[in-house]
């Protein structure tokens, strides 16, 4: 969600460093930005609504060795210049940026107002500099005052703070990621590693309930509650600059869709012993629960079918945001499988906390190595999809499904068969995703681009893919799209179909083919324009997008043409598919 980057050290262009870092976090999605630089005259701040990339000159940044910057994704308070971060204390000396939510901000705000503080924004964040200012009336040490203030906050947050009279950059975390980048000439503190990856690939992770204080020469991690020092390892991260760039593509979304030619094969390349151990853990668990949000949740839903059809084993799916209500079913022998691209999603982390609170074990399936979910789980499998920059998740979904399908095969002692099935699928996707194929889908996008509504149906493991198709189309093209289980149509939604309404049918060459074709025929009888995504043609299809016939992996290939269609719908409708409005790449608030 919000992006944070701070720097303190020997370089004198700290302002430029943090703004450049902020631009590398743009993909996360935001609505306003701000930057603060400590100069010889105090702290200079500039903030605005809109995109930082639209600012043509950075001349406003003064010489500085201590600076921080922020991109805001509005939660509390509208998108206005006043609400953009950083926020400052009454004396203008304490400057703070936040990622997350201070849940008790209203009470704190009232308390601070009675003590004479004035507020200029409607955000929760603004209470932070004022509370630090209040604490400094009795605690002159800036870092100690930040700690005291943090102990009063409720909620999940990551904050970075600086003071006009102090050389320090101070940060604290409970729930929202903050990572220290260790450079030769100073330290970065950021919400995500791309922010500083041009300067360093050595990192130290700040964990929940910790704070960090640095003057650019030395650094001290400590427990937020006790103040006791915490020792941290330095970890080397690998950054592929090729993977982090758009290359020949106009947008990350298309690049990442095309990368599925390789990323699925990478996901399948897992340690055999580990997959077999985890498969046994699922079989032995007294209740396995799959959780994720949005697209990751659709991978979990698909896995319900994989485990049922392939392994004959029942598991439970819940959107992570609903998992709170499942705690009654959890035992120490239960297993939670948390699926996430970013590894930072607040609701998924909350579900993990609930499961751990009941003594259950947690398996994480993530893309982002070093993320909070990856570090907090008992076991972690990485899907190795490489950085996913477009807000709309594409290659992460198919990587997640590939790993879950592999586990399903391992549960019946047929891991090699699962591997072969998935590697054949990856090869078939490689053949499928050629320029003629994407041009054909572009033509369909051209044909339906003016439609205001779009419906998608599927059955079996194509049902979660119908739901996922709707998410993809909604989020990048802003066309109203809805996915249904094909059999549900006649219980209500079919009333929406008019002459020419585009309807996508996700079809496999499987036991439910006849049923879903019947549903497509029902749609056609009401005037629906039927786009069939299927290995086999059928006369009901007005347009047929052919996909390879890959048996149990059909859901993985069927979603890919929809990703391409969503992409072209966005482009044709003049939208930026990489940065959809109102959305963030990493949803770190509940
Ligand atoms: C949609 C999308 C989101 C994410 C969801 C979970 O394209 O990307 O629905 O899937 O926010 O994010 P992760 O996977 O990072 O936990």
């Amino acid at each position: 969600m919000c992006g944070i980057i701070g720097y303190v050290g020997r370089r004198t262009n700290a302002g430029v460093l943090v703004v450049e870092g902020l631009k590398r976090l743009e993909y996360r999605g935001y609505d306003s930005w701000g930057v603060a630089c400590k100069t010889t005259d105090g702290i200079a701040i500039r903030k605005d609504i809109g995109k930082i990339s639209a600012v043509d000159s950075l001349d406003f940044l003064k010489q500085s060795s201590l600076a921080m910057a922020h991109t805001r994704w509005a939660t509390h308070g509208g998108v206005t210049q006043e609400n953009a971060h950083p926020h400052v204390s009454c004396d203008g000396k304490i400057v703070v940026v936040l990622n997350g939510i201070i849940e008790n901000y209203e009470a704190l705000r009232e308390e601070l107002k009675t003590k004479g503080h004035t507020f200029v924004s409607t955000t929760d964040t603004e209470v932070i500099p004022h509370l630090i200012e209040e604490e400094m009336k009795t605690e002159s040490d800036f870092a100690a005052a930040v700690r005291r203030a943090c102990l009063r906050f409720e909620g999940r947050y990551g904050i970075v703070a600086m003071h006009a009279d102090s050389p320090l950059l101070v940060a604290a975390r409970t729930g929202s990621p903050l990572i220290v980048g260790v450079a030769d000439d100073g330290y970065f503190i950021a919400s995500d590693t791309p922010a500083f990856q041009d300067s360093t690939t050595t990192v130290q992770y700040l964990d929940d309930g910790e704070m960090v204080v640095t003057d650019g020469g030395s650094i001290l991690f400590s427990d937020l509650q006790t103040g006791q020092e915490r020792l941290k390892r330095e970890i080397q991260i690998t950054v592929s600059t090729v993977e982090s760039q758009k290359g020949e593509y106009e947008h990350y979304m298309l690049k990442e869709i095309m990368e599925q030619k390789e990323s699925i094969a990478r996901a399948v390349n897992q340690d055999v012993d580990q997959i077999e151990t985890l498969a046994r853990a699922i079989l032995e668990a007294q209740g396995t629960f799959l959780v994720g949000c949005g697209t990751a949740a659709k991978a979990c839903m698909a896995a319900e079918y994989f485990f049922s059809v392939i392994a004959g084993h029942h598991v439970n799916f819940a959107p992570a945001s609903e998992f709170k209500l499942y705690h009654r079913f959890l035992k120490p022998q239960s297993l939670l499988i948390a699926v996430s691209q970013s590894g930072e999603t607040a609701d998924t982390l909350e579900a993990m906390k609930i499961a751990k609170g009941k003594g259950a074990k947690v398996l994480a399936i993530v893309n982002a190595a070093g993320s909070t979910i990856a570090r907090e789980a008992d076991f972690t499998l990485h899907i190795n999809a490489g950085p996913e920059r477009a807000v709309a998740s594409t290659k992460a979904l198919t990587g997640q499904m590939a790993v879950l399908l592999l586990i399903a095969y391992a549960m019946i002692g047929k891991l090699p068969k699962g591997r072969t099935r998935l590697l054949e699928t990856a090869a078939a996707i490689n053949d499928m995703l050629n320029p003629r194929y994407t041009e054909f889908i572009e033509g369909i996008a051209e044909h339906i681009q003016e439609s205001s509504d779009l419906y998608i149906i599927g059955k079996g493991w194509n049902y979660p893919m119908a739901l996922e198709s709707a998410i993809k189309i909604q989020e990048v093209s802003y066309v109203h799209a809805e996915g249904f289980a094909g059999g549900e149509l006649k219980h209500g939604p079919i009333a929406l179909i008019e002459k020419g309404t585009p309807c996508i049918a996700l079809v496999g060459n499987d036991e439910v083919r006849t049923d879903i074709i019947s549903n497509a025929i029902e749609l056609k009888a009401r005037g629906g324009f039927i786009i069939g995504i299927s290995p086999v043609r059928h006369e009901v299809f007005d347009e047929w997008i052919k996909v390879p016939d890959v048996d149990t992996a059909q859901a993985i290939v069927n979603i890919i043409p929809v990703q391409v269609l969503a992409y072209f719908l966005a482009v044709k409708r003049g939208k930026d598919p990489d940065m959809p409005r109102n959305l963030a790449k990493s949803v770190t608030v509940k």
Side-chain angles (χ1 to χ4, degrees):
M1 302 204 92
C2 304
I4 292 180
I5 164 94
Y7 170 82
V8 58
R10 291 202 301 276
R11 288 195 239 177
T12 52
N13 63 339
V16 175
L17 278 178
V18 296
V19 168
E20 292 301 333
L22 208 57
K23 288 183 180 170
R24 282 191 295 273
L25 295 182
E26 279 202 296
Y27 71 94
R28 295 163 67 109
Y30 66 101
D31 43 53
S32 47
W33 59 274
V35 54
C37 297
K38 188 177 165 200
T39 71
T40 41
D41 304 329
I43 293 181
I45 293 180
R46 169 114 176 226
K47 57 188 192 175
D48 214 336
I49 56 172
K51 299 287 175 208
I52 180 90
S53 46
V55 179
D56 40 13
S57 161
L58 295 183
D59 287 350
F60 65 89
L61 295 168
K62 306 274 180 309
Q63 251 207 356
S64 168
S65 295
L66 172 58
M68 63 191 191
H70 183 268
T71 45
R72 174 172 188 251
W73 188 88
T75 55
H76 291 60
V79 181
T80 63
Q81 191 185 26
E82 293 74 37
N83 286 346
H85 301 206
H87 288 281
V88 295
S89 52
C90 290
D91 64 6
K93 287 190 168 185
I94 300 163
V95 180
V96 172
V97 295
L98 164 95
N99 183 7
I101 294 176
I102 304 297
E103 284 170 2
N104 57 336
Y105 82 102
E106 281 170 322
L108 289 171
R109 200 179 165 101
E110 287 317 306
E111 175 190 319
L112 288 160
K113 273 189 188 166
T114 60
K115 290 180 177 160
H117 292 261
T118 47
F119 290 82
V120 294
S121 80
T122 51
T123 64
D124 51 339
T125 310
E126 203 184 353
V127 298
I128 307 171
H130 289 281
L131 188 58
I132 299 171
E133 184 174 40
E134 196 57 34
E135 295 294 346
M136 285 191 83
K137 289 181 181 163
T138 51
E139 168 58 80
S140 57
D141 181 75
F142 174 53
V146 173
R147 179 193 312 283
R148 273 167 53 165
C150 285
L151 294 181
R152 297 209 49 207
F153 299 142
E154 288 165 18
R156 298 168 56 81
Y157 60 83
I159 65 168
V160 180
M162 59 196 220
H163 191 294
D165 301 334
S166 160
L168 303 176
L169 194 60
V170 179
R173 152 180 186 165
T174 68
S176 283
L178 284 175
I179 302 152
V180 171
V182 184
D184 294 338
D185 53 17
Y187 290 96
F188 292 86
I189 301 177
S191 51
D192 206 355
T193 53
F196 53 68
Q197 72 184 29
D198 284 358
S199 297
T200 180
T201 52
T202 306
V203 303
Q204 293 175 309
Y205 290 104
L206 192 65
D207 287 313
D208 274 350
E210 289 183 345
M211 75 182 281
V212 62
V213 180
T214 173
D215 61 2
S218 62
I219 191 155
L220 183 78
F221 290 82
S222 60
D223 184 297
L224 203 47
Q225 290 286 339
T226 63
Q228 222 162 22
E229 185 175 354
R230 290 264 178 97
L231 296 177
K232 289 279 160 179
R233 277 190 310 138
E234 287 188 356
I235 294 168
Q236 290 300 325
I237 53 164
T238 44
V239 177
S240 158
T241 42
V242 177
E243 278 181 331
S244 319
Q245 288 160 6
K246 276 189 260 188
E248 69 193 87
Y249 297 98
E250 207 179 321
H251 296 103
Y252 282 112
M253 183 177 176
L254 187 58
K255 173 180 181 255
E256 289 160 8
I257 292 170
M258 300 308 267
E259 277 175 4
Q260 292 172 108
K261 294 171 177 180
E262 302 101 31
S263 58
I264 292 171
R266 281 205 301 274
V268 176
N269 191 13
Q270 298 287 339
D271 180 86
V272 170
D273 288 343
Q274 203 181 8
I275 293 283
E276 283 176 343
T277 307
L278 293 170
R280 267 198 309 280
I282 296 172
L283 290 169
E284 286 163 12
Q286 292 178 18
T288 297
F289 298 84
L290 279 150
V291 294
C293 296
T295 294
K298 305 306 170 291
C300 297
M301 264 181 98
E304 261 195 314
Y305 289 92
F306 298 158
F307 291 162
S308 156
V309 175
I310 298 166
H313 190 83
H314 174 72
V315 292
N316 307 276
F317 157 72
S321 55
E322 290 291 314
F323 190 66
K324 208 175 198 168
L325 303 168
Y326 282 60
H327 70 94
R328 295 170 185 84
F329 307 122
L330 290 167
K331 306 179 196 154
Q333 301 82 4
S334 306
L335 177 70
L336 182 83
I337 304 181
V339 180
S340 173
Q341 188 288 127
S342 64
E344 302 293 351
T345 303
D347 284 320
T348 310
L349 274 162
E350 184 68 17
M352 287 171 64
K353 201 167 146 195
I354 293 166
K356 286 186 149 200
K358 291 277 184 163
K361 289 273 182 280
V362 177
L363 159 64
I365 296 178
V366 293
N367 190 32
S371 57
T372 311
I373 291 178
R375 287 180 296 122
E376 290 192 356
D378 297 292
F379 324 93
T380 299
L381 291 175
H382 290 99
I383 61 166
N384 304 318
E388 193 179 68
R389 294 299 204 93
V391 165
S393 187
T394 54
K395 61 178 178 170
L397 168 78
T398 50
Q400 290 156 357
M401 287 203 288
V403 169
L404 288 158
L405 192 76
L406 200 62
I407 296 175
Y409 275 101
M411 285 162 71
I412 49 163
K414 291 193 174 163
L415 182 56
K417 183 173 174 190
R419 251 180 79 82
T420 308
R421 162 60 57 229
L422 283 158
L423 290 175
E424 284 169 1
T425 302
I429 290 169
N430 190 24
D431 294 343
M432 176 179 95
L433 279 178
N434 59 57
R436 240 174 350 109
Y437 194 75
T438 52
E439 272 164 32
F440 174 65
I441 298 174
E442 185 177 357
I444 298 178
E446 175 98 36
H447 179 69
I448 62 170
Q449 61 171 311
E450 302 297 341
S451 306
S452 52
D453 310 282
L454 214 157
Y455 300 99
I456 309 103
I457 55 166
K459 192 173 174 76
W461 40 50
N462 278 312
Y463 165 44
M465 292 306 100
L467 301 180
E468 167 60 11
S469 300
I471 297 186
K472 274 305 81 77
I473 294 164
Q474 291 158 1
E475 68 182 328
V476 296
S477 74
Y478 314 154
V479 172
H480 167 240
E482 279 187 71
F484 298 104
E488 281 294 300
L489 275 177
K490 49 189 165 297
H491 300 289
I494 203 158
L496 297 167
I497 307 302
E498 295 174 349
K499 188 167 166 31
T501 306
C503 304
I504 301 174
L506 301 178
V507 186
N509 198 11
D510 52 25
E511 58 184 310
V512 295
R513 178 178 168 80
T514 321
D515 296 338
I516 195 76
I517 290 288
S518 295
N519 300 142
I521 292 169
E522 288 157 13
L523 288 169
K524 184 140 181 162
R526 272 82 187 171
F529 176 78
I530 312 296
I531 302 161
I533 296 181
S534 163
V536 185
R537 187 194 286 276
H538 190 281
E539 61 188 12
V540 71
F541 302 152
D542 294 294
E543 291 284 3
W544 174 40
I545 304 179
K546 186 173 182 201
V547 282
D549 187 349
V550 289
D551 189 41
T552 49
Q554 199 63 47
I556 296 178
V557 298
N558 276 14
I559 191 63
I560 294 176
V562 188
Q563 296 170 344
V564 178
L565 184 71
Y567 169 78
F568 281 117
L569 269 178
V571 172
K572 301 221 167 278
R573 291 166 59 86
K575 314 296 175 205
D576 178 351
D578 284 348
M579 280 190 258
R581 67 183 180 205
N582 305 342
L583 290 173
K585 182 69 186 156
S586 180
V587 184
T588 49
V589 293
K590 285 198 281 175

